[in-house]
Amino acid sequence: MNKINAIVVGSGNVGLKVIDVLLNTNDFNLVGAIRRSGEPIAEYPNIEVKKSVDEFSEKIDVAFLAIPTREVPKQAKEFLAKGIHTVDSYDIHSNILDVKTELAEVAKKYNAVAVVSSGWDPGTDSIVRAMLIAMAPRGMTYTNFGPGMSMGHTVAVKAIEGVQNALSMTMPTGAGVHRRLVYVELAEGASRDVVENAIKTDPYFINDETHVRFVDDVDALKDVGHGVELTRKGVSGSTGNQNFMFKMSIDNPALTAQVMVSSGRAATRLQSGAYTLIEIPMVDFLEGERDEWIKALV
């Protein structure tokens, strides 16, 4: 079996978990990781680390972009232009279609594949929502997240000037409505009012009820556990009162990483272009032969 040569870009919470997942698969070969510093990763000292993909001697098939969401479009284009497939976990829902369209143009030009917004939400939850709509086309779906840490929101707060450290918690209030609790360590000399306003007007927070609390030690509060509950009540044909529920409680970075790696596998089986998870055949995410999975699952 020819293994898929992969690199991990970034070594934060998700990047470390992507490395863990890759080391526990049979069809990937982890070539190394990219860090701005080029320094070894303390948790994985034997993994080769470079500052640029051009420094690796082996041909790279897939780059897993475990980087802040707002950096994804630029970096993805750079890898795609080298003919390397990319997988990201872009999570600003309102911009996903625009990013997909933008990356599709580059991917097709260089015969590569970009899997956009791979993770559990957006990502596998999107697949579940799509399936529930197929089962009951008319109706309503409610998604309740948490309680738990939102990685995307936390990274967004950390990027705000005047923030030393931060944690954003998602608290469900029911019927798909959420409250954001943001804990902030202020940088020296920063203004509480300025930082709080910047958080509440950021695209990640502007549509939710957001409470900002200033603390001395954010790390004392951190827990990467999260969860989701999807419910749909709808109509199949003319028959109403069809009720469905999907619920999970998970380690946020670990599940995001697992879905990203599965998406990287799918990327090698797709025609060039950009895809979200709902556009990819489910069997393409699975390790092994398609016919074997059909026999096992159908």
Side-chain angles (χ1 to χ4, degrees):
M1 178 180 65
N2 292 325
K3 291 195 174 186
I4 303 165
N5 282 344
I7 59 169
V8 180
V9 184
S11 56
N13 289 330
V14 174
L16 292 176
K17 290 298 184 180
V18 172
I19 290 172
D20 174 66
V21 173
L22 289 169
L23 293 175
N24 284 280
T25 60
N26 297 310
D27 54 347
F28 279 93
N29 172 44
L30 175 57
V31 175
I34 292 179
R35 303 182 78 189
R36 287 192 182 98
S37 66
E39 296 177 355
I41 300 171
E43 294 86 349
Y44 296 98
N46 296 324
I47 290 176
E48 191 172 6
V49 176
K50 303 292 186 183
K51 290 184 178 181
S52 166
V53 66
D54 297 327
E55 297 177 36
F56 291 105
S57 57
E58 297 181 64
K59 178 184 179 297
I60 306 302
D61 300 309
V62 182
F64 293 99
L65 308 182
I67 58 178
T69 279
R70 291 184 171 106
E71 296 180 17
V72 164
K74 180 179 182 295
Q75 291 206 37
K77 288 177 191 175
E78 293 172 358
F79 286 101
L80 293 169
K82 297 177 185 292
I84 299 172
H85 306 318
T86 63
V87 179
D88 66 66
S89 57
Y90 188 91
D91 66 350
I92 303 177
H93 291 252
S94 59
N95 294 345
I96 289 172
L97 181 57
D98 291 337
V99 171
K100 174 187 176 261
T101 302
E102 191 177 338
L103 297 187
E105 184 178 346
V106 182
K108 289 176 182 177
K109 181 177 179 179
Y110 294 99
N111 195 31
V113 169
V115 180
V116 181
S117 298
S118 170
W120 59 275
D121 203 294
T124 49
D125 283 359
S126 307
I127 294 173
V128 173
R129 290 188 195 95
M131 194 67 247
L132 295 183
I133 292 171
M135 295 164 71
R138 290 184 290 122
M140 299 190 73
T141 303
Y142 299 104
T143 306
N144 294 311
F145 296 107
M149 171 186 174
S150 170
M151 292 187 297
H153 289 77
T154 297
V155 171
V157 177
K158 286 182 177 180
I160 292 173
E161 186 175 355
V163 174
Q164 179 73 29
N165 199 1
L167 166 67
S168 179
M169 297 290 292
T170 302
M171 310 299 290
T173 60
V177 179
H178 301 88
R179 179 182 296 118
R180 308 288 180 184
L181 302 183
V182 184
Y183 298 91
V184 175
E185 283 181 42
L186 276 180
E188 187 176 352
S191 164
R192 291 191 175 203
D193 291 341
V194 171
V195 168
E196 181 169 353
N197 181 67
I199 293 170
K200 291 183 175 181
T201 56
D202 185 278
Y204 269 98
F205 296 94
I206 197 167
N207 294 317
D208 295 322
E209 179 187 342
T210 300
H211 299 269
V212 180
R213 298 175 180 175
F214 296 95
V215 297
D216 294 328
D217 184 10
V218 163
D219 289 335
L221 306 171
K222 283 187 177 177
D223 176 359
V224 295
H226 214 315
V228 68
E229 182 180 288
L230 285 168
T231 59
R232 182 168 180 82
K233 185 175 185 297
V235 179
S236 304
S238 60
T239 303
N241 202 35
Q242 305 286 63
N243 292 286
F244 311 97
M245 178 180 288
F246 171 80
K247 185 175 183 178
M248 66 182 186
S249 179
I250 49 92
D251 178 293
N252 193 343
L255 183 57
T256 300
Q258 182 67 66
V259 177
M260 288 180 72
V261 171
S262 296
S263 299
R265 179 180 298 117
T268 67
R269 301 170 175 176
L270 299 168
Q271 293 184 348
S272 61
Y275 302 82
T276 56
L277 265 58
I278 64 171
E279 301 170 83
I280 300 173
M282 281 303 307
V283 72
D284 284 350
F285 292 105
L286 306 177
E287 181 179 337
E289 297 299 320
R290 178 180 287 225
D291 287 352
E292 293 302 313
W293 282 114
I294 293 172
K295 282 194 285 186
L297 297 175
V298 176

